[in-house]
Amino acid sequence: MDNLNVPHLIDPLGQAIPLATPVTLLGRGAECHVVIADRRASRRHAEIVCGDDPSPNPIASAGFVLRDLDSTNGVWFNGQRLSQMARLHDGDVIEIAGAAFTFRDPDATLQTTHFPKLVMDEATGDVWVDRCPVQLSAKQRGLLTLLWRRRGQVCAKDEIAAAVWPECRGDIYDYQIESLIKRLRVKLEPDAAEPFLIVNVPGRGYRLAV
C-alpha cells in the first residue's frame, strides 16, 4: 500500500480508503463511500464527518468525528458499542458488521515529532515557543539566556552555576542544576520527558538545540 498523506481508513484487506470531505458514509448501500457487503450492515450505517462541519458540538470542532446513523446492529468503536459521537484519533478501530477499519491520521506523527520553535529577545528577556509567550522565573531566564547565547554549543555545569547563581561563588550542586533544567524543560518542551530543545550531553553538560 502506498503511503497516504491524508487521513484514511485501512480496510480488512489492508487497503487504504481516503476520507471524503465533509462526510464519509459507511454502509451497505451503493451510494456509500465505504461499502460493507454484509446484510448485518444498514444501508447508511455510520458516517465520519470532517471537523470543518459547522456543528455546535465541541467534539466536532476539529479533526474527524464518527457517528452511528441509527443503525440496527450498531457501531463498535475500540471494542465498545458507540453510544454517542466520538472524535477519531490515529489508530482507532471502527467495526461494522464484523468488518474492522483502522483510522490513520498522518498528521498525528508529525505532531508527536514536532520540533518547537523557540525565540528569545535578549534585550527584554521575553521568550516565545511556537509564537506563544512563556513566563519564566529569574533563574530559568538566566539559564536560558546562557544556553541561548551559546546555542548549539555545550555549556558545562560549572558555566551554568556561575551564570545562574553568581551569588553562591561555586557552591552549587548537580541536583540543583538538574532540577532547574527539568523545570525549564516543562516550560519549553512539548514533552519534558523526551526533550528536543535542551539536550543532555553526558559527562559534559547541556546544549540548546535550536
Side-chain angles (χ1 to χ4, degrees), residues 11 29 33 46 52 55 65 87 93 112 119-120 125 138 145 147-148 156:
D11 70 11
H33 301 92
D52 293 335
S55 169
V65 174
R87 172 82 178 274
V93 177
T112 57
V119 175
M120 183 175 189
T145 299
L147 294 172
W148 179 262

Side-chain angles (χ1 to χ4, degrees), residues 21-54:
T21 55
V23 177
T24 300
L25 286 174
L26 300 89
R28 186 163 44 89
E31 72 276 13
C32 292
H33 301 92
V34 181
V35 178
I36 302 168
D38 190 308
R39 293 187 62 83
R40 292 173 294 173
S42 300
R43 291 191 60 83
R44 295 167 63 92
H45 199 105
E47 66 179 8
I48 297 174
V49 180
C50 178
D52 293 335
D53 177 49

Side-chain angles (χ1 to χ4, degrees), residues 120-191:
M120 183 175 189
D121 185 338
E122 289 189 54
T124 63
D126 293 333
V127 177
W128 297 267
V129 175
D130 291 337
R131 299 184 179 182
C132 295
V134 177
Q135 299 299 319
L136 301 178
S137 69
K139 295 299 185 187
Q140 291 167 354
R141 186 175 292 104
L143 171 59
L144 181 58
T145 299
L146 172 65
L147 294 172
W148 179 262
R149 289 173 177 170
R150 297 275 306 280
R151 52 191 179 275
Q153 303 175 38
V154 178
C155 294
K157 290 183 178 180
D158 288 345
E159 294 178 272
I160 294 174
V164 180
W165 291 275
E167 71 279 7
C168 294
R169 298 183 180 180
D171 296 328
I172 298 299
Y173 297 97
D174 284 357
Y175 79 87
Q176 292 173 278
I177 296 174
E178 292 164 1
S179 178
L180 184 60
I181 289 285
K182 181 178 180 180
R183 295 196 300 272
L184 184 57
R185 281 172 170 165
V186 169
K187 295 289 187 70
L188 304 181
E189 305 275 5
D191 183 355

